[in-house]
Amino acid sequence: TGRPPRAPTTSRTPTATTNSARAKSIKIIAIYLVFGCAWIVGTDFLSNTIFNDIPDVYAASIIKGLFFVFLTALIIYLLIYPPLKKLSDSGEKLQSINEELENSNRRYVRLYEELEEKQSLLKSLIDSTEDWIFYKDAAGAYLGCNDY
């Protein structure tokens, strides 16, 4: 028994995916960089304008630092959630497609094995007859005969 023929494989370069991931990463970094710099400069200027006393400026600096951490955590979440969700969804879709492909491959192998069995049975029937049997292709060329 032979093995079913394999489909040709193609190799794809992940350039488009890599460029998309790089662009999204740069976008997130750029937004964080602009927001962070603007926050630091703006809130330092504002706290130095409002407060004249060093302990008050120090307390305001701690409060604005903590607020900055919480706010940037929220911004980072909002920036990374959509691409991660898309990645997760595409992974689930890929898994579903892979399962369909595996089922299709199992059906293909089963059909191929059935075809081989039927061809073997037909060959044994042709070879067991006491008459000469010749077979041709569609163009009329002889392909073979039984083993009479």
Side-chain angles (χ1 to χ4, degrees), residues 33-143:
L33 183 65
V34 168
F35 178 78
C37 290
W39 176 271
I40 290 170
V41 171
T43 56
D44 278 353
F45 177 76
L46 188 61
S47 65
N48 287 334
T49 303
I50 295 173
F51 303 108
N52 295 326
D53 200 20
I54 290 181
D56 291 340
V57 171
Y58 180 72
S61 181
I62 291 173
I63 292 170
K64 74 180 186 79
L66 291 173
F67 187 71
F68 176 78
V69 169
F70 289 115
L71 192 59
T72 55
L74 177 64
I75 290 171
I76 290 171
Y77 170 79
L78 294 174
L79 289 172
I80 65 172
Y81 178 76
L84 289 177
K85 173 80 169 112
K86 186 177 179 181
L87 180 65
S88 175
D89 292 347
S90 63
E92 291 170 4
K93 183 176 180 181
L94 183 62
Q95 183 178 1
S96 171
I97 290 170
N98 190 41
E99 288 172 4
E100 288 178 31
L101 182 62
E102 287 175 351
N103 289 336
S104 175
N105 188 48
R106 280 192 289 274
R107 285 192 305 272
Y108 170 74
V109 168
R110 189 176 59 248
L111 288 172
Y112 185 83
E113 290 169 349
E114 288 176 16
L115 174 65
E116 265 190 340
E117 288 175 19
K118 288 179 182 181
Q119 285 178 332
S120 176
L121 177 63
L122 181 60
K123 175 114 174 82
S124 67
L125 283 173
I126 289 173
D127 288 343
S128 67
T129 185
E130 295 182 7
D131 296 319
W132 285 102
I133 299 177
F134 296 89
Y135 40 97
K136 303 177 184 181
D137 64 9
Y142 285 99
L143 297 174

Side-chain angles (χ1 to χ4, degrees), residues 17-34:
T17 305
T18 303
N19 289 341
S20 175
R22 182 173 290 124
K24 288 177 183 175
S25 297
I26 290 172
K27 176 185 172 187
I28 291 170
I29 291 168
I31 290 171
Y32 179 78
L33 183 65
V34 168

